[in-house]
Amino acid sequence: MANKDSAPRRWTPKEAQGMIGRLIVPSMLLVMLAVSVRTMWLLIPAAALWVVMLLILYKYWRCPRCGKTLPKMGKVRECPKCGAEID
């Protein structure tokens, strides 16, 4: 039974990266389908997925120790600000 006083567990940066990886494939497939069948309404759900990915990136792609935003490009093994290891 969960403790009512405990806060929900926060995603780690690696979990956020995995979720973004799972969302990017369907969004790109929707864009390719929209281009191939020449219909623009399929771009609306693709854009919604991009917004969700950006929100995940903004909220969870942070150092677990200092809370600063991590670099968006390249492999991130440690925080450039405080040196904490990114799990």
Side-chain angles (χ1 to χ4, degrees), residues 3 10 13-14 16 20 26 29 33 39 45 47-49 52 54 59-61 76 84-86:
N3 187 357
R10 215 178 136 80
K14 296 292 181 182
I20 289 172
L29 289 174
L33 184 62
T39 181
L49 286 174
V52 169
L54 286 173
K59 183 166 176 137
Y60 296 110
W61 191 243
V76 179
E85 186 178 328
I86 305 301

Side-chain angles (χ1 to χ4, degrees), residues 6-67:
S6 66
R9 188 180 70 81
R10 215 178 136 80
W11 284 355
T12 65
K14 296 292 181 182
E15 290 172 330
Q17 188 178 31
M19 183 56 72
I20 289 172
R22 284 185 212 104
L23 292 176
I24 201 161
V25 172
S27 69
M28 296 309 291
L29 289 174
L30 283 169
V31 169
M32 289 189 293
L33 184 62
V35 169
S36 69
V37 297
R38 298 181 185 188
T39 181
M40 298 305 278
W41 67 268
L42 284 173
L43 294 178
I44 294 170
L49 286 174
W50 293 334
V51 168
V52 169
M53 288 187 283
L54 286 173
L55 290 173
I56 290 171
L57 187 67
Y58 175 76
K59 183 166 176 137
Y60 296 110
W61 191 243
R62 298 181 174 277
C63 173
R65 187 189 306 164
C66 69

